[in-house]
């Protein structure tokens, strides 16, 4: 890793040296071109003056400078100067844009490489951990004589790890599908009931966590992809649980009007820095560094959330909660039309 970073640093240094050399060389050639153009003008003007003086067309320098041929020569000289200056400006602007595009592409590649590295580290852990737990359960069941209560407990643990592994595989498959051929299958759905079911599922996994529901008592029926919207809400709720203290509440709120519905998921956790509020929706992106991060995850959850929300014609934003924490603000259009 250090070798690669040193190589990238050397490459950037070499690129900067070449750019500086090109600018200095261009400045030199520009000055030289201006000088040669001026010398050519002065030489032509002198030849013209001598010729006119020999023909007794002019008597002095001032009279020569008022003649039409000299004025035409002067106009051509000024036009050439402007052409040289314009080409210089175009070249400099092109070079600056080129350098900017190269640096932006380089930074994107660096960020993408870092995200891929973080993803590989996280996915390795996310795969090995449940597999190791399942293997331990199976070895224990095979090698030891256990009571019925112990067998039930081990079975529950194995099933829990299997579900975790299944959810990871589903996220990987869904993220790949979102890049190519995802189309939401819209069905008339009671969004209030769907959200409460998701909240209950997360509550079942975290029985000691305070979960707060705030929504209308009557059904809120709109056309959504039930599977996709369930994934969205579960991801947001699980994120809120993951990045907030164990005894802190997580709130799920639903508001509806004639034009749209608004879903709010709020926690009082560590929050998200302003400069990373947009980046967290990028594929594989996770706040912090994978070497030091303690929370589980692959960086796919919020990417999946944004893509599904976009496919529904909606919008998701991140706001700071007060006094601390994060609010995910999701807005969907109130449509009741199915896609055939």
């Amino acid at each position: 890793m250090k070798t690669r970073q040193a190589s990238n640093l050397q490459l950037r240094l070499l690129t900067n040296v070449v750019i500086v050399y090109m600018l200095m060389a261009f400045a030199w050639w520009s000055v030289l071109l201006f000088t040669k153009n001026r010398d050519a003008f002065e030489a032509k003007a002198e030849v013209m003056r001598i010729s006119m003086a020999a023909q007794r067309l002019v008597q002095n320098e001032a009279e020569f400078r008022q003649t039409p041929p000299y004025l035409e020569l002067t106009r051509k000289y000024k036009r050439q100067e402007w052409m040289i200056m314009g080409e210089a400006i175009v070249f400099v602007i092109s070079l600056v844009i080129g350098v900017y595009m190269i640096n932006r592409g380089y930074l994107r590649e660096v960020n993408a490489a870092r995200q891929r590295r973080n993803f590989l580290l996280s996915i390795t852990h996310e795969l090995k951990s449940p597999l190791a737990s399942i293997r331990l359960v199976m070895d224990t069941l095979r090698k030891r004589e256990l009571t019925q209560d112990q067998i039930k407990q081990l079975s529950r643990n194995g099933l829990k790890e299997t579900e975790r592994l299944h959810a990871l595989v589903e996220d990987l498959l869904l993220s790949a599908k979102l890049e190519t051929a995802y189309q939401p299958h819209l069905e008339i759905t009671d969004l209030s009931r769907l959200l409460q079911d998701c909240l209950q599922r997360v509550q079942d996994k975290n029985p000691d966590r305070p979960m707060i529901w705030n929504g209308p008592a009557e059904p809120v029926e709109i056309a959504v992809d039930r599977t996709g919207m369930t994934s969205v809400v579960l991801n947001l709720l699980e994120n809120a649980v993951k990045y907030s203290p164990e005894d802190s509440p997580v709130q799920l709120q639903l508001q509806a009007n004639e034009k749209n519905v608004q879903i709010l998921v709020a926690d009082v956790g560590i929050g998200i820095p302003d400069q990373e509020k947009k980046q967290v929706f990028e594929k594989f992106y996770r706040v912090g560094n994978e070497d030091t991060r303690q929370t589980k995850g692959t960086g796919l959850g919020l990417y999946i959330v944004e893509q599904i929300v976009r496919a529904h014609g909606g919008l998701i934003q991140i706001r700071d909660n007060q006094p601390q924490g994060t609010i995910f603000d999701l807005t969907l259009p109130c449509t009741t039309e199915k896609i055939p």
Side-chain angles (χ1 to χ4, degrees):
M1 185 65 184
K2 291 183 178 179
T3 303
R4 182 179 297 176
Q5 290 177 346
S7 176
N8 289 338
L9 183 61
Q10 291 176 357
L11 181 60
R12 294 201 71 183
L13 181 61
L14 179 60
T15 302
N16 291 333
V17 169
V18 171
I19 291 171
V20 171
Y21 170 77
M22 289 176 63
L23 287 173
M24 292 177 64
F26 180 74
W28 165 253
W29 283 107
S30 296
V31 171
L32 186 61
L33 192 57
F34 269 106
T35 303
K36 293 297 183 183
N37 187 47
R38 186 190 62 214
D39 291 345
F41 165 73
E42 292 177 351
K44 290 179 179 179
E46 182 63 19
V47 170
M48 184 181 294
R49 187 188 65 79
I50 294 173
S51 176
M52 286 185 174
Q55 298 175 30
R56 298 182 183 279
L57 298 176
V58 295
Q59 301 298 323
N60 51 51
E61 183 72 20
E63 190 177 339
F64 167 68
R65 291 180 181 275
Q66 298 301 319
T67 60
Y70 178 79
L71 293 175
E72 179 63 23
L73 183 64
T74 302
R75 280 195 295 270
K76 289 183 179 179
Y77 167 67
K78 294 295 183 182
R79 188 163 58 246
Q80 288 173 344
E81 274 194 333
W82 280 109
M83 288 177 60
I84 295 171
M85 188 177 299
E87 290 177 358
I89 292 173
V90 170
F91 176 84
V92 171
I93 292 175
S94 300
L95 183 61
V96 170
I97 293 175
V99 171
Y100 169 76
M101 297 294 290
I102 290 172
N103 281 331
R104 189 175 69 168
Y106 171 79
L107 291 176
R108 283 182 176 177
E109 287 298 320
V110 169
N111 290 334
R114 183 174 65 249
Q115 290 174 19
R116 285 193 295 267
R117 174 178 174 271
N118 287 345
F119 171 72
L120 289 174
L121 289 172
S122 64
I123 200 68
T124 299
H125 177 269
E126 291 294 308
L127 287 172
K128 288 177 65 176
S129 180
L131 287 174
S133 298
I134 294 170
R135 181 176 180 180
L136 179 61
V137 168
M138 300 304 294
D139 283 343
T140 303
L141 290 173
R142 183 172 63 88
K143 295 179 180 180
R144 296 183 57 184
E145 295 292 335
L146 303 173
T147 65
Q148 286 298 319
D149 290 340
Q150 290 174 325
I151 292 174
K152 289 181 180 178
Q153 181 62 41
L154 284 174
S155 299
R156 283 194 293 268
N157 292 342
L159 184 60
K160 181 179 179 180
E161 295 299 328
T162 303
E163 290 175 352
R164 176 181 164 189
L165 193 60
H166 178 264
L168 174 61
V169 173
E170 287 295 318
D171 279 351
L172 290 171
L173 293 175
L174 181 55
S175 66
K177 186 178 179 181
L178 287 170
E179 291 184 340
T180 54
Y182 175 75
Q183 288 291 336
H185 176 63
L186 300 185
E187 302 175 84
I188 302 300
T189 303
D190 180 0
L191 193 60
S192 178
R193 173 52 54 191
L194 185 148
L195 265 59
Q196 292 180 65
D197 290 344
C198 291
L199 191 67
Q200 187 60 51
R201 286 173 63 177
V202 178
Q203 179 74 82
D204 292 341
K205 292 182 181 179
N206 305 273
D208 298 329
R209 170 80 63 163
M211 295 284 182
I212 302 173
W213 164 251
N214 185 3
E218 65 277 5
V220 178
E221 294 188 341
I222 65 171
V224 295
D225 185 324
R226 292 178 186 174
T227 302
M229 197 52 54
T230 299
S231 178
V232 166
V233 178
L234 287 177
N235 267 304
L236 293 178
L237 289 172
E238 289 170 356
N239 253 26
V241 169
K242 187 186 304 181
Y243 293 104
S244 59
E246 293 183 1
D247 58 347
S248 64
V250 171
Q251 181 176 1
L252 178 60
Q253 181 175 339
L254 174 63
Q255 299 175 349
N257 56 44
E258 295 180 355
K259 293 184 178 180
N260 54 54
V261 295
Q262 185 181 33
I263 301 171
L264 300 176
V265 178
D267 62 62
V268 290
I270 59 176
I272 300 175
D274 290 339
Q275 65 271 18
E276 299 194 59
K277 281 185 169 63
K278 290 185 178 180
Q279 292 177 290
V280 294
F281 292 113
E282 296 177 4
K283 194 173 185 180
F284 305 140
Y285 185 87
R286 298 187 70 201
V287 178
N289 187 282
E290 207 66 40
D291 296 329
T292 57
R293 190 183 294 109
Q294 299 299 317
T295 55
K296 300 175 183 178
T298 60
L300 289 174
L302 292 180
Y303 167 78
I304 290 173
V305 166
E306 187 191 39
Q307 295 301 312
I308 292 177
V309 170
R310 281 187 177 182
H312 281 77
L315 175 68
I316 184 167
Q317 296 175 307
I318 301 177
R319 296 190 278 113
D320 292 330
N321 200 3
Q322 298 300 331
Q324 68 176 31
T326 303
I327 298 175
F328 283 88
D329 185 346
L330 192 161
T331 304
L332 295 173
C334 266
T335 175
T336 55
E337 296 181 2
K338 297 182 181 180
I339 290 183

